[in-house]
Amino acid sequence: METRIVSIRQGSSSLGCFDATKPSLARLDHWHVRPEAKDAVDALRPAAEYLRTKDTPVAFPTETVYGLGADATRSASVKGIYLAKGRPSDNPLIVHVCDLQMLRALLKAQDGKDDNSDNDATIPAVYKPLIDKFWPGPLTILLPNPDPSPLASEVTAGLKTFGVRMPSSPLALTLIKLAGVPLAAPSANASTKPSPTTAQHVKDDLDGKIEWILDGGSCTVGVESTVVDGLCHPPAVLRPGGIGMDEIRSCPGWEGVVKAYKDQSEEGKATPRAPGMKYKHYSPRARVVLYEADYVDGGRGIVAADMHAALESLPPTAAVLTNGHDRHATEMNGNNSPKRMVGIIRTKRWPAAGGLQCTNLQRLADRADGDEHISEPSSYEIYSSRLMDQEDNIAGEVFDISLGQDTQGIAQGLFSALRELDRRGVEMIFVEGVDDNVDIAAAVMNRLRKAASEIRR
């Protein structure tokens, strides 16, 4: 199967609109595709038709991460998602809708007895403040799944609820509108890998497994949606994401919302209530060592003893490195002994190279593999240097990425940075954590803790 990236970036921000003149939730009743956006809309139509008629999913951008979408009402189509990703079948999927009209149709039982499909009576009242404030946007709500349900059973993995959200990306909303069906869409990556925030990330993972990747540029949020359950008491956050808990608490009826997720993958046979709860997620090939923000010994950077201990835990021979960097490391050291490749992701406090003993850092090109299809310039720069040991001998190479001090910028660049260091062929990635008591930082640290092989506290 040939995988192609189709750019839909020209004019994608003006593809459609809601009716801002209507009050409250009524403004979200219908997503209107703009006639003047004909060129961009016409470019989307083949993908929309493909979603209606084929069983292979389509990758498309949202504001959070790239999604792998399929018709949520057809079992064969939804099974294509699990097949392409290698995703466990008991991991439920989030449904994406373009407007409230589409959502109401999903809440109507297919036996025709529910006559509330044209008003908000089918949407539990507890969610209306959240929908009014955060939709369209990075928030997923859990709703009761009617019996019989219009959704394919594979979407819910046997649960009596389903997760749904309305993305804010005009491209995503228009694609769903043109397809005329809700899209089940997890992140468009191979299962367990870091989520994709560019079209190229999707191709890196799913090349040959899907046909369509719609390129709408880099995702602006960078982590998945927040998942909440308002059907329980007290209401709960099942997965942290693009909307912080304090923001949710500001809504009527949600003042007492509680945290109902763990930062490690949950074991057991039970089906998780939401994606991201049960299985290993977000992990690059390299071993990740996470420094918590309150780890006293790591306040000024990587502790040398930690680095040496971590590297000694690796196999005695160098890993099979990508993109020619194994050859480069050997040439750099002037001998044939295997040398280590170390990656560093810095945030708010660490100095350059995490304080490791290095020679002068030099800026590198945006991509390690020279791929010509780059959706956006990186939101960060990557630097490289020789890594020195305690005897001032060359021990290998270090790749240094700073995501900056802004938490939103850290979230936006996190998955991309993990992927970039994987492409550089590093064996070990040291990551500087952030205080997770503020806004989207909880989502950042949740993802890092799930990705980490070791955590320094």
Side-chain angles (χ1 to χ4, degrees):
M1 182 182 297
E2 181 182 357
T3 300
R4 52 179 173 154
I5 297 178
V6 179
S7 178
I8 314 287
R9 298 176 62 188
Q10 187 67 35
S12 63
S13 62
S14 58
L15 281 165
C17 63
F18 290 107
D19 189 347
T21 65
K22 292 185 177 181
S24 191
L25 271 60
R27 78 185 193 282
L28 302 176
D29 280 345
H30 301 282
W31 175 253
H32 302 279
V33 177
R34 287 193 171 105
E36 59 268 29
K38 183 179 184 302
D39 289 347
V41 171
D42 286 348
L44 279 176
R45 290 189 188 280
E49 175 66 17
Y50 189 94
L51 284 164
R52 279 195 302 272
T53 59
K54 304 295 184 181
D55 297 335
T56 302
V58 171
F60 65 98
T62 76
E63 75 280 12
T64 56
V65 299
Y66 271 68
L68 189 62
D71 180 354
T73 67
R74 294 192 296 114
S75 288
S77 180
V78 176
K79 287 177 181 177
I81 294 175
Y82 290 100
L83 179 63
K85 282 178 61 74
R87 181 184 177 97
S89 60
D90 66 343
N91 200 3
L93 303 173
I94 292 173
V95 178
H96 294 62
V97 297
C98 62
D99 50 36
L100 291 185
Q101 181 185 45
M102 182 174 282
L103 174 58
R104 294 187 195 106
L106 294 180
L107 293 171
K108 181 180 180 181
Q110 296 302 285
D111 56 12
K113 294 180 180 179
D114 188 344
D115 61 357
N116 291 320
S117 61
D118 293 329
N119 58 55
D120 286 331
T122 52
I123 300 175
V126 67
Y127 288 122
K128 292 178 183 179
L130 297 186
I131 293 173
D132 190 32
K133 185 171 183 178
F134 299 121
W135 275 16
L139 180 75
T140 294
I141 61 176
L142 249 60
L143 291 171
N145 194 27
D147 184 18
S149 172
L151 294 173
S153 60
E154 291 80 6
V155 171
T156 63
L159 296 174
K160 294 184 178 181
T161 58
F162 70 97
V164 63
R165 82 178 188 97
M166 187 185 296
S168 64
S169 162
L171 192 156
L173 292 169
T174 302
L175 177 67
I176 299 167
K177 184 75 171 184
L178 294 175
V181 293
L183 298 184
S187 54
N189 56 302
S191 187
T192 78
K193 297 303 180 184
S195 297
T197 55
T198 70
Q200 185 60 48
H201 293 165
V202 180
K203 196 169 192 294
D204 289 342
D205 277 13
L206 302 182
D207 192 16
K209 297 180 180 179
I210 61 175
E211 291 189 37
W212 284 81
I213 301 174
L214 303 179
D215 180 6
S218 295
C219 301
T220 55
V221 175
V223 293
E224 297 85 352
S225 63
T226 302
V227 181
V228 298
D229 184 357
L231 304 178
C232 60
H233 184 77
V237 172
L238 303 184
R239 181 181 74 182
I243 303 295
M245 189 171 285
D246 286 343
E247 295 177 274
I248 294 171
R249 287 196 178 109
S250 70
C251 295
W254 290 82
E255 297 86 351
V257 66
V258 298
K259 171 184 171 180
Y261 62 87
K262 297 179 180 179
D263 287 329
Q264 289 77 36
S265 299
E266 299 179 17
E267 302 294 334
K269 297 181 179 179
T271 298
R273 292 160 68 191
M277 297 183 74
K278 183 175 181 180
Y279 294 99
K280 179 182 177 182
H281 282 76
Y282 320 117
S283 299
R285 289 188 298 271
R287 190 176 181 87
V288 175
V289 178
L290 171 63
Y291 277 54
E292 294 279 357
D294 58 0
Y295 179 49
V296 176
D297 291 343
R300 296 182 179 179
I302 301 167
V303 178
D306 282 352
M307 185 197 71
H308 292 300
L311 293 180
E312 286 175 2
S313 70
L314 293 171
T317 57
V320 178
L321 306 178
T322 60
N323 309 314
H325 282 283
D326 50 346
R327 176 179 54 81
H328 174 61
T330 300
E331 291 174 352
M332 181 180 65
N333 290 292
N335 58 55
N336 292 321
S337 61
K339 302 299 179 182
R340 296 306 189 187
M341 309 282 278
V342 176
I344 297 165
I345 298 177
R346 298 184 286 120
T347 56
K348 298 177 183 281
R349 297 184 298 168
W350 282 5
L356 294 179
Q357 187 176 355
C358 299
T359 57
N360 292 334
L361 290 164
Q362 295 184 339
R363 186 179 183 278
L364 301 177
D366 285 334
R367 279 188 61 85
D369 55 11
D371 197 296
E372 295 180 356
H373 192 100
I374 303 175
S375 296
E376 295 281 354
S378 297
S379 59
Y380 53 80
E381 294 180 341
I382 182 167
Y383 289 81
S384 174
S385 171
R386 292 177 176 178
L387 177 65
M388 314 304 289
D389 64 18
Q390 293 171 313
E391 284 74 40
D392 210 26
N393 297 315
I394 298 172
E397 189 171 8
V398 60
F399 296 93
D400 179 61
I401 292 175
S402 173
L403 297 180
Q405 297 194 15
D406 175 65
T407 307
Q408 180 59 61
I410 293 168
Q412 186 179 9
L414 174 62
F415 288 141
S416 178
L418 289 171
R419 285 177 168 273
E420 180 63 26
L421 291 174
D422 250 359
R423 280 193 292 266
R424 298 285 173 180
V426 305
E427 302 167 87
M428 183 79 70
I429 301 174
F430 292 90
V431 184
E432 178 192 2
V434 296
D435 184 350
D436 62 359
N437 292 322
V438 183
D439 52 65
I440 202 173
V444 170
M445 291 306 294
N446 172 263
R447 303 322 190 255
L448 283 173
R449 288 167 184 147
K450 286 180 179 287
S453 303
E454 302 176 42
I455 299 178
R456 301 285 189 261
R457 294 185 170 93

